[in-house]
């Protein structure tokens, strides 16, 4: 079979998985809902919960976390952690050529939340520090998504190349 074409010419890159996109979109919607509930409730999360927050800080300090890690540092860190899944799932929902849109989307979404707090919630206030920490978290989520997708694509290329190698040898 000298004139048979190699199998590699008949194979093309698989289409983006709709199932994965649907799952990522559902998880993004869940994360957005949770963020909206936490940030747009009429009273701050801390109202009535300072005892629990103090206990968390006491445990953290007894575990070796420096005393400089106080309530404000905990809040900043919590805001970062809260927005990591937002940036991650938003990046997975968008096509790869549009993932850069996460960069302006995260601070825009966070800024809108803080503005809503300042304008419409009597016991809440908008805070630029929250926008900064939320943005850091969202952008970390984007980086994690990009790294994960790159690792999966590299693995897939190795698997396909290995399959072609063995297929060509019969």
């Amino acid at each position: 079979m000298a004139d048979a074409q190699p199998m590699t010419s008949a194979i093309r890159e698989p289409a983006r998985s709709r199932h994965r996109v649907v799952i990522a979109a559902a998880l993004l919607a869940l994360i957005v809902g949770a963020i909206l509930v936490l940030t747009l409730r009429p009273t701050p999360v801390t109202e009535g919960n300072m005892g629990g927050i103090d206990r968390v800080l006491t445990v953290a300090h007894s575990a070796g976390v420096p005393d400089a890690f106080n309530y404000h540092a905990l809040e900043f860190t919590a805001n970062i952690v809260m927005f990591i899944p937002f940036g991650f799932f938003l990046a997975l929902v968008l096509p790869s050529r549009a993932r850069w849109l996460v960069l302006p989307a995260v601070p825009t979404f966070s800024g809108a939340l803080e503005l809503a707090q300042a304008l419409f919630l009597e016991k809440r206030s908008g805070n630029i520090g929250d926008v900064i920490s939320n943005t850091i978290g969202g952008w970390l989520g984007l980086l994690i998504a990009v790294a994960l997708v790159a690792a999966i694509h590299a693995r897939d290329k190795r698997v396909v190349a290995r399959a072609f190698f063995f297929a060509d040898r019969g």
Side-chain angles (χ1 to χ4, degrees), residues 28 31-32 35 82-91 105-106 109 138:
L28 176 62
I31 293 300
V32 168
I35 290 171
M82 177 173 64
F83 265 72
I84 288 173
F86 175 71
F88 179 81
F89 290 117
L90 182 59
V106 173
F109 179 57

Side-chain angles (χ1 to χ4, degrees), residues 39-51:
T39 58
L40 297 179
R41 56 190 281 173
T43 57
V45 176
T46 56
E47 191 170 291
N49 293 322
M50 282 310 291

Side-chain angles (χ1 to χ4, degrees), residues 13 16 91-101 146 149 153:
E13 190 173 317
R16 210 170 133 192
L92 292 182
V93 167
L94 293 171
S96 58
R97 66 185 175 281
R99 286 202 179 110
W100 67 270
L101 291 171
V146 167
V149 168
H153 283 290

